[in-house]
Amino acid sequence: MYKIETLTQSDRGHTLHHNSVFNFNNEWIVFDARNDDTKIGECTEIGMVNVNSKEERIIYQTMNPNQYGPGVGAASFHPHENRVIFIHGLPEANAEIPYAMTRRFGMMVDLDHDNRAYPADSRDIQKPFSKGSLRGGTHSHCWSPNGEMLSFTYNDEFIDPDLRTVGVMFQKSSVEKVEPIPGNIQGIYFSSLVARVVPKAIPGSDQIVKAFDECWLKDDVLAFQGNTLNKEGKQITEIYTVEINTDLLLKGSVNNDNISDYPIVPQDIEAVRITRSEKGLSNFRHWLRASSDGRTIYALAKDNQDKNQIIQCEIPSGKLTYLSDFDFSVASAINLDPKGDRITFIANNNVYLFHLKQAKLDKLTDFNEEDLPIQGIPNFSRDGSIIAFNQFVANNGQQNLQIKLIYLK
């Protein structure tokens, strides 16, 4: 049996994001102080805990919090620097403009410089919109393998907020200034959308009505899930990729001042549909995961009994193969270990480890359905030797979401 320990002890929540919760040397794990995944708007703290000493440190607290925001959550470490990025709601959040998916941005904290905090992306809601800024909300930020770019999902403030898409941000020598008015955020990164979405796709076309839950294939290639319509007009989720050329993004980004139009994707940036499947991916929320060589994507898809199973997609052929045939349904998003050999997930209130080459399944924990629930998504350490996961723990009559570790070596 694997060694399992409870890492955190404090009476706050300790919610783990779906990716990159370990820092580059596996010494610290970052978390936000939620007990409820739906309560980012009410969360006030980002913290980290030392894997060896169990010391907890609060690295960021919101200013003047209230029931409407600003809210913070979903924190991730840079792959090789002591920097953290997380969702942050608008500082002036109130009853009229509460935290929402269109009112947020990425906040960074530099741990090597006295926890200095600064916005990553710019938000501009006043015409003329500044180049390199967006006018809605970014979230689910994910670093590229080399740490030079961040991907995100995006919802716009001025058009249908459900018309979700994906974008990237990166540093450049200078970023256009935005007016310092309520609702605007001055960031240091240049942002651009990279997937075109439409309110209604033509059946049988490659048009996308929703782009979401992406991963990096390479330092300059992003893969994402896209909802489209098959020939019968039924919505199906397929895999798309888009090559990220920062020169083209800088050259092709324009100020679109028509507030009723979606922010423009630069002209020479084109997403390519990879899969053309019969059933598509599972509608259970999960993020794509890619092998380090960029040749394989792992995801979830339903079997004939409507159970979530693990599948792989070959790049660039788009061939989909079912890798698992579990007698249960995968009940969380998946994570792939750094070597690309194993996938971890939650099902039946337990953490599992699936060995891809042997198609072997290990049950790492031994909880019952009646035990306090495991939540969220298990994360591998950077060297693949530890899995961190969330479970509620009772203490003095109170239940808090704590971080537990499974040592695989």
Side-chain angles (χ1 to χ4, degrees):
M1 200 67 183
Y2 296 96
K3 177 187 174 183
I4 302 174
E5 71 172 9
T6 301
L7 181 63
T8 53
Q9 307 291 334
S10 64
D11 59 357
R12 60 170 61 90
H14 300 83
T15 292
L16 298 174
H17 192 30
H18 71 81
N19 74 83
S20 303
V21 300
F22 284 83
N23 77 331
F24 66 91
N25 64 4
N26 300 309
E27 184 179 2
W28 295 91
I29 294 175
V30 69
F31 63 87
D32 65 67
R34 284 177 292 165
N35 275 319
D36 185 333
D37 188 56
T38 67
K39 301 293 186 182
I40 288 182
E42 299 175 20
C43 183
T44 63
E45 295 177 331
I46 301 293
M48 63 182 188
V49 57
N50 190 283
V51 172
N52 300 308
S53 69
K54 300 186 179 183
E55 174 196 359
E56 287 190 36
R57 295 180 184 174
I58 297 303
I59 63 173
Y60 184 85
Q61 288 183 300
T62 58
M63 301 289 289
N64 304 315
N66 61 73
Q67 60 180 313
Y68 304 106
V72 291
S76 296
F77 267 111
H78 189 281
H80 51 79
E81 297 177 6
N82 274 321
R83 275 193 288 160
V84 169
I85 189 165
F86 50 91
I87 294 170
H88 198 298
L90 299 184
E92 61 273 6
N94 56 40
E96 286 70 40
I97 49 168
Y99 172 87
M101 61 185 178
T102 64
R103 303 188 194 107
R104 52 190 178 181
F105 60 95
M107 180 71 87
M108 284 192 184
V109 169
D110 189 338
L111 302 176
D112 287 336
H113 292 85
D114 298 320
N115 294 351
R116 182 172 68 91
Y118 50 91
D121 47 315
S122 293
R123 186 178 192 269
D124 191 354
I125 59 171
Q126 178 174 274
K127 296 192 294 185
F129 303 121
S130 58
K131 188 175 179 179
S133 66
L134 296 172
R135 57 192 202 189
T138 67
H139 84 288
S140 192
H141 309 96
C142 183
W143 301 95
S144 61
N146 62 8
E148 293 183 2
M149 284 192 280
L150 281 153
S151 68
F152 54 82
T153 48
Y154 175 78
N155 299 82
D156 196 75
E157 179 75 34
F158 297 112
I159 58 175
D160 183 355
D162 292 327
L163 203 60
R164 174 170 285 186
T165 189
V166 295
V168 299
M169 65 177 88
F170 55 94
Q171 284 187 283
K172 62 187 289 283
S173 56
S174 61
V175 178
E176 284 194 18
K177 299 297 183 182
V178 301
E179 289 295 322
I181 63 170
N184 278 4
I185 300 293
Q186 181 64 64
I188 66 167
Y189 277 47
F190 185 98
S191 300
S192 177
L193 303 184
V194 297
R196 295 176 181 84
V197 290
V198 296
K200 186 171 178 60
I202 298 172
S205 74
D206 293 343
Q207 291 180 321
I208 305 168
V209 296
K210 179 182 178 182
F212 58 102
D213 296 348
E214 75 284 357
C215 75
W216 289 94
L217 272 184
K218 302 177 182 178
D219 287 323
D220 58 355
V221 180
L222 196 66
F224 62 89
Q225 301 180 54
N227 286 347
T228 187
L229 300 182
N230 63 16
K231 292 180 179 179
E232 291 73 39
K234 181 181 178 181
Q235 183 169 287
I236 187 171
T237 303
E238 300 282 21
I239 296 174
Y240 292 73
T241 63
V242 58
E243 186 173 347
I244 310 300
N245 183 314
T246 56
D247 290 335
L248 292 179
L249 293 179
L250 292 169
K251 177 183 176 182
S253 293
V254 297
N255 296 334
N256 178 15
D257 290 337
N258 189 342
I259 207 164
S260 63
D261 288 342
Y262 214 83
I264 292 174
V265 175
Q267 183 176 357
D268 295 321
I269 300 296
E270 293 288 344
V272 177
R273 182 171 170 178
I274 300 298
T275 57
R276 298 182 182 277
S277 60
E278 180 180 350
K279 296 171 61 176
L281 303 187
S282 173
N283 59 1
F284 179 83
R285 190 175 189 194
H286 67 288
W287 285 262
L288 302 179
R289 299 302 185 214
S291 59
S292 58
D293 60 10
R295 296 178 180 177
T296 307
I297 290 175
Y298 299 95
L300 296 177
K302 300 281 190 180
D303 62 16
N304 292 332
Q305 286 74 47
D306 204 39
K307 295 184 178 70
N308 294 316
Q309 303 288 351
I310 298 171
I311 62 168
Q312 73 174 22
C313 171
E314 295 179 2
I315 303 296
S317 71
K319 179 184 177 182
L320 292 177
T321 304
Y322 278 79
L323 300 181
S324 69
D325 185 24
F326 305 139
D327 59 2
F328 56 80
S329 185
V330 175
S332 76
I334 60 175
N335 262 315
L336 180 69
D337 79 353
K339 293 183 178 180
D341 296 332
R342 302 167 297 178
I343 284 175
T344 187
F345 61 88
I346 294 168
N348 302 321
N349 206 35
N350 280 287
V351 181
Y352 288 83
L353 188 66
F354 184 62
H355 301 261
L356 294 167
K357 293 180 181 179
Q358 302 92 340
K360 175 189 173 186
L361 182 66
D362 286 341
K363 183 181 175 184
L364 303 182
T365 57
D366 191 24
F367 299 110
N368 299 315
E369 294 285 355
E370 297 77 23
D371 290 327
L372 290 175
I374 294 174
Q375 288 196 355
I377 305 152
N379 274 254
F380 284 101
S381 58
R382 301 279 178 176
D383 62 359
S385 66
I386 304 172
I387 291 175
F389 68 98
N390 280 144
Q391 185 177 28
F392 279 101
V393 173
N395 185 22
N396 296 324
Q398 183 177 357
Q399 295 180 11
N400 282 299
L401 204 58
Q402 305 290 357
I403 299 171
K404 293 191 174 184
L405 302 181
I406 304 172
Y407 291 88
L408 301 178
K409 291 183 179 180

